[in-house]
Amino acid sequence: MTHHTTPAGAGPTAASRRARVLTHLVLILALAATILPFLWMLLASFKTQGELLRDPSGWLPTSPTWNNYATWLGQLRIGHYFLNSVVVAVFTVLGNLLFCSMIGYVLAKLNFPGKRALFALVMITLMVPAVVTFVPLFVMVAKLQLVNSYPALILPYIASPLGVFLMRQFMLGIPDSLLEAAKIDGAGQVRIFFRIVLPMCGPPLATLTILTFLGSWNNFLWPLVVAQSQDKYTLPVALALYSQGQNATNYALLLAGSVLVIAPMVALFMALQRFFVQGVATTGIK
Amino acid sequence: MAHSNTSGPVGRRKVGRAGGRRRPSWGRALSERRRQGLAAWLFALPFLLVFGFFMLVPLVSSFLMSFTDFRATDVQSPLSVSFVGLSQYGDLFGDAQFRKAMLNTALVVVVGIPLTMAIALALAVALNSGITRFRTAYRVGFYTPVVTSIVAVAVVWRFILQPDGLLNTMLGWVGISGPDWLHSTTWALPSLIGMTAWRNMGTLMVIFLAGLQNVPPELHEAATMDGADAWQRFRRITVPLLRPTLLLGAVLLSVAYLQFFEESFVMTQGGPLDSTLSVSYFTYNQFGFGKYGYASAASYVLFTVIAALSMIQFRLLRSKD
């Protein structure tokens, strides 16, 4: 671009440089608006409650303290809720990977009566608002005496229509000749699926893993209702209940808790941001 | 390599099957089709069991409940429930609180979607305009709110939106004295809409950026030669070519924003004076009061709106592409 400029083109270069500076300025302002709340939260989490109340919009802690974090890690057992979140997220992801890829294969590669109806059914449920199934689901879980159990936290999320859509779209691109060849060699459907199709599905499986893990980690309302004793709380539930409890006025502690809830996801995101962004860009879905 | 080895047998096999279609292999072809059908349903079974039990059964029971006066107390003895037809749907539209919830939800959609899309598009265009330095840093930064938990983020935003919080302190620098955002019936909903846009713009920006990368740069260069300025190029080239992506963004946001709930739940509990009460929140509250039938009817009104709007948008998506 810039190598087009001739000596006479000093004007355009200056103009384009000005445009670039202006663009950066806009981007930096927008970046500030997205990042500063997190930065403020991080700094404030090292303050004492007293300092926070004296100056609710100040930035630097005058005498930084680890106390808020020490309380969460020790007395408030946040490690336990962290483990719960991990267990729920891992099983939710594993379930989705298996179930969604299996039915995705069926919808992409096999022919059978009822296929179109099955796909339509899955697609329609993508639009069902969460509140529609919320209470019937709770009644069922209660009748099965699963309230306050890991299965109740995991099972409703291990078969997501979104995952089916994702896997099907990718598998449509796998050439049929490959499957035909395997069939000639005497492979059954099970072997074709596990030995040929699944190993080719790295990209959509990675995307599905990330989206499901993220969704599970940040899921709030259902765990809030279903996890009824402390030993089953996930991180957001523990934080939410803490912020409504009798200690709710200890804002400094609350902010440190928020940092601890957000930090693992942000760290994971930073490490895997390329895949996160690709996943979102290719599926167009959060 | 594998391709060239296998394509031969596949072709030969097809010929062989076609040649012998008359007698014995007609039956075999049928049974093979049947076998594939059986395999298909067996493969689909694990998903269908879980999906059916945790999605379809609640979905259908909620639909049926919406025509009955089912209450929480009827869970033990469902036979005492009576069929009330469409009357609860009628009641909803006479319910001032439901109308308020509809109005608020409409505001979130009508204000929130253009706001989020405009910000996301501006950022995507800026990032795509020859900016190479810090590009990843910007992208990561804008996307960060998307990966964070609403519960944790709410704690910070409650601070920022306090009367003497960060936002008002900054507004004070330019001589504006801001309101008590979350406790004002005028400002609570706009505050939450702004926060929702803040949380969602990253997702859209990433999608728009992917779309922008498919706009051929030659078109812009040619237009520049013809003397088109940046705004004209944006209006005449970028926007038309980005149309499918923009529509996709609109579909995703409407499905999300029509279900507006969590921001309100963790920030204002629907208040003050129902000013942030949404349809989802209204439904949730009715469930809480034990009025399952009434709540189900409300949730199906929402479902209908979402489905109808998505259909229209998908049709636009298809016809324009």
Side-chain angles (χ1 to χ4, degrees), chain A residues 80-93:
Chain A
H80 181 80
Y81 310 132
F82 177 86
L83 275 182
N84 279 344
S85 277
V86 171
V87 167
V88 171
V90 165
F91 280 100
T92 307
V93 168

PDB file of all heavy atoms in Angstrom, chain A residues 80-93:
ATOM      1  N   HIS A  80     -13.151 -26.037  46.802  1.00  0.00           N
ATOM      2  CA  HIS A  80     -14.173 -27.075  46.681  1.00  0.00           C
ATOM      3  C   HIS A  80     -15.170 -26.743  45.562  1.00  0.00           C
ATOM      4  O   HIS A  80     -15.508 -27.596  44.750  1.00  0.00           O
ATOM      5  CB  HIS A  80     -14.892 -27.196  48.024  1.00  0.00           C
ATOM      6  CG  HIS A  80     -15.948 -28.240  48.035  1.00  0.00           C
ATOM      7  ND1 HIS A  80     -15.656 -29.573  48.199  1.00  0.00           N
ATOM      8  CD2 HIS A  80     -17.284 -28.156  47.872  1.00  0.00           C
ATOM      9  CE1 HIS A  80     -16.784 -30.262  48.142  1.00  0.00           C
ATOM     10  NE2 HIS A  80     -17.785 -29.433  47.939  1.00  0.00           N
ATOM     11  N   TYR A  81     -15.616 -25.474  45.515  1.00  0.00           N
ATOM     12  CA  TYR A  81     -16.567 -25.066  44.466  1.00  0.00           C
ATOM     13  C   TYR A  81     -15.898 -25.109  43.107  1.00  0.00           C
ATOM     14  O   TYR A  81     -16.520 -25.440  42.102  1.00  0.00           O
ATOM     15  CB  TYR A  81     -17.100 -23.659  44.745  1.00  0.00           C
ATOM     16  CG  TYR A  81     -17.611 -23.487  46.152  1.00  0.00           C
ATOM     17  CD1 TYR A  81     -17.245 -22.402  46.931  1.00  0.00           C
ATOM     18  CD2 TYR A  81     -18.456 -24.444  46.702  1.00  0.00           C
ATOM     19  CE1 TYR A  81     -17.704 -22.263  48.223  1.00  0.00           C
ATOM     20  CE2 TYR A  81     -18.913 -24.310  48.000  1.00  0.00           C
ATOM     21  CZ  TYR A  81     -18.536 -23.224  48.755  1.00  0.00           C
ATOM     22  OH  TYR A  81     -18.987 -23.090  50.034  1.00  0.00           O
ATOM     23  N   PHE A  82     -14.616 -24.778  43.105  1.00  0.00           N
ATOM     24  CA  PHE A  82     -13.841 -24.839  41.869  1.00  0.00           C
ATOM     25  C   PHE A  82     -13.859 -26.268  41.325  1.00  0.00           C
ATOM     26  O   PHE A  82     -14.145 -26.491  40.152  1.00  0.00           O
ATOM     27  CB  PHE A  82     -12.413 -24.365  42.153  1.00  0.00           C
ATOM     28  CG  PHE A  82     -11.487 -24.444  40.976  1.00  0.00           C
ATOM     29  CD1 PHE A  82     -11.405 -23.410  40.065  1.00  0.00           C
ATOM     30  CD2 PHE A  82     -10.678 -25.561  40.777  1.00  0.00           C
ATOM     31  CE1 PHE A  82     -10.558 -23.484  38.973  1.00  0.00           C
ATOM     32  CE2 PHE A  82      -9.830 -25.645  39.690  1.00  0.00           C
ATOM     33  CZ  PHE A  82      -9.771 -24.595  38.784  1.00  0.00           C
ATOM     34  N   LEU A  83     -13.593 -27.224  42.211  1.00  0.00           N
ATOM     35  CA  LEU A  83     -13.600 -28.634  41.789  1.00  0.00           C
ATOM     36  C   LEU A  83     -14.974 -29.049  41.270  1.00  0.00           C
ATOM     37  O   LEU A  83     -15.089 -29.745  40.258  1.00  0.00           O
ATOM     38  CB  LEU A  83     -13.202 -29.536  42.954  1.00  0.00           C
ATOM     39  CG  LEU A  83     -11.699 -29.721  43.137  1.00  0.00           C
ATOM     40  CD1 LEU A  83     -11.427 -30.664  44.297  1.00  0.00           C
ATOM     41  CD2 LEU A  83     -11.063 -30.264  41.854  1.00  0.00           C
ATOM     42  N   ASN A  84     -16.037 -28.601  41.953  1.00  0.00           N
ATOM     43  CA  ASN A  84     -17.391 -28.904  41.474  1.00  0.00           C
ATOM     44  C   ASN A  84     -17.597 -28.378  40.062  1.00  0.00           C
ATOM     45  O   ASN A  84     -18.128 -29.075  39.197  1.00  0.00           O
ATOM     46  CB  ASN A  84     -18.442 -28.282  42.400  1.00  0.00           C
ATOM     47  CG  ASN A  84     -18.674 -29.121  43.631  1.00  0.00           C
ATOM     48  OD1 ASN A  84     -18.286 -30.290  43.680  1.00  0.00           O
ATOM     49  ND2 ASN A  84     -19.296 -28.521  44.631  1.00  0.00           N
ATOM     50  N   SER A  85     -17.173 -27.137  39.846  1.00  0.00           N
ATOM     51  CA  SER A  85     -17.321 -26.545  38.513  1.00  0.00           C
ATOM     52  C   SER A  85     -16.564 -27.358  37.480  1.00  0.00           C
ATOM     53  O   SER A  85     -17.065 -27.590  36.375  1.00  0.00           O
ATOM     54  CB  SER A  85     -16.808 -25.098  38.507  1.00  0.00           C
ATOM     55  OG  SER A  85     -17.799 -24.225  38.987  1.00  0.00           O
ATOM     56  N   VAL A  86     -15.365 -27.792  37.840  1.00  0.00           N
ATOM     57  CA  VAL A  86     -14.557 -28.576  36.902  1.00  0.00           C
ATOM     58  C   VAL A  86     -15.241 -29.908  36.596  1.00  0.00           C
ATOM     59  O   VAL A  86     -15.383 -30.291  35.425  1.00  0.00           O
ATOM     60  CB  VAL A  86     -13.137 -28.823  37.460  1.00  0.00           C
ATOM     61  CG1 VAL A  86     -12.397 -29.826  36.587  1.00  0.00           C
ATOM     62  CG2 VAL A  86     -12.361 -27.513  37.524  1.00  0.00           C
ATOM     63  N   VAL A  87     -15.693 -30.600  37.625  1.00  0.00           N
ATOM     64  CA  VAL A  87     -16.346 -31.903  37.423  1.00  0.00           C
ATOM     65  C   VAL A  87     -17.558 -31.752  36.509  1.00  0.00           C
ATOM     66  O   VAL A  87     -17.713 -32.478  35.515  1.00  0.00           O
ATOM     67  CB  VAL A  87     -16.780 -32.506  38.779  1.00  0.00           C
ATOM     68  CG1 VAL A  87     -17.731 -33.683  38.578  1.00  0.00           C
ATOM     69  CG2 VAL A  87     -15.551 -32.942  39.569  1.00  0.00           C
ATOM     70  N   VAL A  88     -18.411 -30.781  36.811  1.00  0.00           N
ATOM     71  CA  VAL A  88     -19.621 -30.582  36.012  1.00  0.00           C
ATOM     72  C   VAL A  88     -19.252 -30.237  34.566  1.00  0.00           C
ATOM     73  O   VAL A  88     -19.799 -30.811  33.616  1.00  0.00           O
ATOM     74  CB  VAL A  88     -20.501 -29.472  36.634  1.00  0.00           C
ATOM     75  CG1 VAL A  88     -21.645 -29.103  35.703  1.00  0.00           C
ATOM     76  CG2 VAL A  88     -21.044 -29.926  37.976  1.00  0.00           C
ATOM     77  N   ALA A  89     -18.286 -29.340  34.397  1.00  0.00           N
ATOM     78  CA  ALA A  89     -17.917 -28.926  33.041  1.00  0.00           C
ATOM     79  C   ALA A  89     -17.308 -30.082  32.251  1.00  0.00           C
ATOM     80  O   ALA A  89     -17.661 -30.297  31.092  1.00  0.00           O
ATOM     81  CB  ALA A  89     -16.948 -27.743  33.091  1.00  0.00           C
ATOM     82  N   VAL A  90     -16.447 -30.848  32.884  1.00  0.00           N
ATOM     83  CA  VAL A  90     -15.775 -31.938  32.167  1.00  0.00           C
ATOM     84  C   VAL A  90     -16.779 -32.991  31.703  1.00  0.00           C
ATOM     85  O   VAL A  90     -16.779 -33.403  30.537  1.00  0.00           O
ATOM     86  CB  VAL A  90     -14.676 -32.584  33.041  1.00  0.00           C
ATOM     87  CG1 VAL A  90     -14.240 -33.925  32.459  1.00  0.00           C
ATOM     88  CG2 VAL A  90     -13.480 -31.649  33.151  1.00  0.00           C
ATOM     89  N   PHE A  91     -17.689 -33.394  32.581  1.00  0.00           N
ATOM     90  CA  PHE A  91     -18.661 -34.401  32.167  1.00  0.00           C
ATOM     91  C   PHE A  91     -19.644 -33.858  31.135  1.00  0.00           C
ATOM     92  O   PHE A  91     -20.073 -34.574  30.231  1.00  0.00           O
ATOM     93  CB  PHE A  91     -19.398 -34.980  33.388  1.00  0.00           C
ATOM     94  CG  PHE A  91     -18.586 -36.016  34.098  1.00  0.00           C
ATOM     95  CD1 PHE A  91     -17.872 -35.705  35.251  1.00  0.00           C
ATOM     96  CD2 PHE A  91     -18.513 -37.313  33.604  1.00  0.00           C
ATOM     97  CE1 PHE A  91     -17.098 -36.655  35.894  1.00  0.00           C
ATOM     98  CE2 PHE A  91     -17.740 -38.279  34.236  1.00  0.00           C
ATOM     99  CZ  PHE A  91     -17.034 -37.940  35.390  1.00  0.00           C
ATOM    100  N   THR A  92     -19.994 -32.583  31.272  1.00  0.00           N
ATOM    101  CA  THR A  92     -20.871 -31.979  30.278  1.00  0.00           C
ATOM    102  C   THR A  92     -20.201 -31.992  28.908  1.00  0.00           C
ATOM    103  O   THR A  92     -20.818 -32.327  27.891  1.00  0.00           O
ATOM    104  CB  THR A  92     -21.218 -30.532  30.678  1.00  0.00           C
ATOM    105  OG1 THR A  92     -21.719 -30.540  32.009  1.00  0.00           O
ATOM    106  CG2 THR A  92     -22.262 -29.941  29.762  1.00  0.00           C
ATOM    107  N   VAL A  93     -18.923 -31.647  28.882  1.00  0.00           N
ATOM    108  CA  VAL A  93     -18.185 -31.638  27.619  1.00  0.00           C
ATOM    109  C   VAL A  93     -18.104 -33.047  27.032  1.00  0.00           C
ATOM    110  O   VAL A  93     -18.427 -33.265  25.863  1.00  0.00           O
ATOM    111  CB  VAL A  93     -16.769 -31.054  27.818  1.00  0.00           C
ATOM    112  CG1 VAL A  93     -15.911 -31.324  26.596  1.00  0.00           C
ATOM    113  CG2 VAL A  93     -16.837 -29.560  28.098  1.00  0.00           C
TER     114      VAL A  93
END
